[in-house]
Amino acid sequence: MNVKFFGYDLEVGGPYLKTDLRDSNDILNDGAKLRERIESDGYLLIRKLRDPQLILAARGQVLETMLAQGLLEPGTDLMNGTINPGAQRGYTTGGRANEEYSQLAAVQAIFADEAVPRFFETLFGGPPGTFDFQWMLVAGTGAESPIHSDIVFM
């Protein structure tokens, strides 16, 4: 079976789209073993690093906001996030339109969550840094983010 990925047809289970990834949750708190694993495998597969309920709460809050704006298909399951094809505002990952979603309380809770910084501190053996300006992106089906620069960091 092949799937499309950024315009490329990739074979599932082929050399570029593996299906037998090794889970790294068993070594999550051991920086040396994480570094060995990434060196040998070229990746780390970590499941549920963040609390799934934290993510679902943010998803629900974002989708409720989008529904109120008329951006979701009326009468569909909210958590599916079905884009309204008649919406006045098309969705891509760019622009300031997404900034309002970043200010939602449940999204801010994700930004404040310590699970990811704690992981990177373990992986790299020191405190991680982050950007002062953080935001989430909303993209409808088929939207993509072409090569660009984020001026906020310049």
Side-chain angles (χ1 to χ4, degrees), residues 59 63 67 72-83:
R59 179 179 178 85
L63 292 173
L67 181 65
L72 297 183
E73 183 72 32
T76 61
D77 182 342
L78 176 68
M79 293 304 277
N80 285 342
T82 306
I83 298 294

Side-chain angles (χ1 to χ4, degrees), residues 40-56:
S40 68
D41 293 358
Y43 66 90
L44 294 171
L45 172 61
I46 300 169
R47 300 176 191 277
K48 297 182 181 177
L49 182 60
R50 291 194 193 266
D51 177 356
Q53 294 306 312
L54 189 68
I55 303 303
L56 287 173

Side-chain angles (χ1 to χ4, degrees), residues 102-115:
S102 298
Q103 302 309 314
L104 296 170
V107 174
Q108 286 292 312
I110 291 173
F111 292 157
D113 181 42
E114 288 297 317

Side-chain angles (χ1 to χ4, degrees), residues 5-63:
F5 184 75
F6 287 100
Y8 294 95
D9 281 322
L10 299 178
E11 178 186 357
V12 175
Y16 303 109
L17 189 57
K18 298 189 178 297
T19 57
D20 57 344
L21 300 177
R22 183 163 48 155
D23 191 299
S24 296
N25 283 69
D26 59 328
I27 59 171
L28 194 57
N29 296 314
D30 188 327
K33 287 184 180 177
L34 287 168
R35 289 186 293 278
E36 288 172 17
R37 176 79 48 91
I38 201 168
E39 183 68 30
S40 68
D41 293 358
Y43 66 90
L44 294 171
L45 172 61
I46 300 169
R47 300 176 191 277
K48 297 182 181 177
L49 182 60
R50 291 194 193 266
D51 177 356
Q53 294 306 312
L54 189 68
I55 303 303
L56 287 173
R59 179 179 178 85
Q61 205 170 57
V62 168
L63 292 173

